[in-house]
Amino acid sequence: MSYLVLARKYRPRTFGQMVGQAHVVQALSNALDQQRLHHAYLFTGTRGVGKTTVARILAKSLNCQGADGQGGITSTPCGICQACTDIDSGRFVDYTELDAASNRGVDEVQSLLEQAVYKPVQGRFKVFMIDEVHMLTGHAFNAMLKTLEEPPEYLKFVLATTDPQKVPVTVLSRCLQFNLRPMAPETVQEHLAHVLEAEGVPADAQALRLLSRAARGSMRDALSLTDQAIAFGGGELREPAVRAMLGSVDRSHVFRLVEALAQGDGKTVVETSEALRLHGLSAGAALEEMSMVLQRMAVQQAVPDTGEPIDEEAATIARLAASMPADETQLLYSICLHGRAELGLAPDEYAALTMVLLRLLAFKPGAQEKKTLNDGVAGVAARTRPAESVAPGRPGSQRDPGVASEPRRPAVSAQPNPGAPSQPAPPGHVLPVVEPRQTPPRTAAPARDSGDVMGVPVRVQPEPLRETPSHAPAVVPTADGDFWSATVQQLVQREAIVALVRELALQAQLVGRDEGHWMLRVERESLNQPASRERLRAALHAAGHPVELSVEVGPVTDSPARRNAQAAAERQQAAEQIILSDPFVQQMQRDFGAKIVPGSIKPIEKH
């Protein structure tokens, strides 16, 4: 006698035997008992959740004749009459199943619809069941629309699909749709326990839990895996054998990883990852198991005492949840989910698994934050300490006329002008550091006659004080700035400079120029690249400025980019002033409480 697989042997034959689809069973049972029958039904859902099974039970309910041959439409078919047994065996003449995956053309559908004009031969209704209906062609759908909308009173359509999005709305509107949901692992585990008890196969609860999770909501997949596990385990289901068959990761490895991550133990993390490699366990399964454990830990942290009493892992989950902050649990869960998607991108999935686990350590909250901040503050202090140790008001220091210094910062020393007299400090004299609030006001140096031009070498030109208070404009215009801005705008308009070279020119400030040598200053070191400087020098040479360029890093107060930004801000302010002073706008605000949406006013660019 040939062996019948569990998925076929234990296929439900009545609505009472179905599990996990109570909402569909209740609706169909009430409709059958009240004789409120629709002419077309559409069952949707993933594989193995009972779409074809429900269609066959519905066909038996419509055509059941009862054990005595006097029965009618019922929600509990007898299962022993001629109609019920023929439908179960697949030879009932008035029940037709069409596989749309292999019969998807208009000819096959027309051949099926030609039988609709004939009344049932044996049963009470003709039932046309079309499986995977979404695979029909557009012409096939159009061919069945009229019959599907107004079929004969003795004809019922039952459609099934795993992808209802591909079914035309004209078909959906003609059907009564039921969505069969994926089954919960607990439901699958309970049903497997009943099946194995009937088969007389000993099984561990943990083995059934592994099979129910591996089924992914499909009862048919669960029964097929159970068949395979029985053969693999020699007639019994034990956790080690089922775990080896599925390639699942032992939860002990996962618990060890989570505990090591909670303690920041990188050595244990790497050793456990290597153990997974040696045992040939799936890297994706490891991250999946970690995600499940972290999810249960998050639930335990949010709602304590929610674990099942019969769950052997509840105590371990509760201990791990108490050892890790809630925000860190959420972070690890997110990294595990994203890490599963990266496994296929790496040449070695175990190397990718190790990197994901190390990333969990690297992003551990608070692990590196304090050290990084302290290093950054120390570096800034080391760089700024020499400049802050000079007393304000030193003779020989120069700054731009009319520029006020910021009172909250100590004075920054500048190299003395070689052309101006200066008196050095006496030997051994230590200059005191003055508190910012006690800095005496400075007297601006008298403006130098514009006609008296003094040549100063570029590298020893004093750096002017560009400290600008918050209420002053961001740009401090200079004569060199006017010249440099005009030169850069010409180069940009002619497209002589592009990309990084253009960015260097726009962000730079011309701080000094001698015959054949210009000195530029930028705020970001990333702009000071040799290739960009050489291309900018070549562009200037082509524009009639054969000079050599030097670029230094420092504060910038007058650059083409800042001038452009200031001009744009002025245009924006002028545009807003025009709108706000408009009489109509003022009237709307006064009479109707109108408000101008921030950011909705834009100046019109003139070309």
Side-chain angles (χ1 to χ4, degrees), residues 421-444:
S422 62
Q423 297 183 4
H429 180 69
V430 179
L431 298 179
V433 179
V434 183
E435 294 296 331
R437 296 182 181 274
Q438 299 175 1
T439 303
R442 301 178 183 178
T443 306

Side-chain angles (χ1 to χ4, degrees), residues 57-185:
I57 297 175
L58 180 61
K60 289 193 297 183
S61 300
L62 293 173
N63 292 287
C64 180
Q65 299 170 358
D68 55 358
Q70 303 298 321
I73 299 175
T74 177
S75 61
T76 56
C78 64
I80 58 177
C81 66
Q82 186 69 27
C84 290
T85 55
D86 287 350
I87 291 176
D88 287 335
S89 59
R91 60 174 182 266
F92 190 62
V93 66
D94 293 323
Y95 176 71
T96 304
E97 286 190 6
L98 178 68
D99 180 19
S102 55
N103 302 278
R104 57 194 305 266
V106 64
D107 295 335
E108 288 83 355
V109 173
Q110 287 180 344
S111 176
L112 178 68
L113 295 179
E114 286 175 358
Q115 306 175 25
V117 298
Y118 303 105
K119 289 188 175 183
V121 177
Q122 289 180 307
R124 195 175 295 110
F125 292 93
K126 270 183 175 294
V127 180
F128 289 166
M129 194 275 179
I130 305 178
D131 198 9
E132 300 298 340
V133 68
H134 68 274
M135 307 222 27
L136 292 178
T137 64
H139 294 294
F141 276 120
N142 293 333
M144 64 182 296
L145 284 180
K146 187 61 180 177
T147 307
L148 184 63
E149 182 178 10
E150 297 179 355
E153 59 180 7
Y154 52 80
L155 179 61
K156 303 295 182 183
F157 280 95
V158 179
L159 312 179
T161 177
T162 57
D163 194 356
Q165 305 296 331
K166 296 182 179 180
V167 180
V169 292
T170 52
V171 174
L172 296 177
S173 64
R174 289 166 167 82
C175 300
L176 200 62
Q177 182 173 346
F178 294 93
N179 181 29
L180 280 72
R181 305 165 185 165
M183 301 182 191

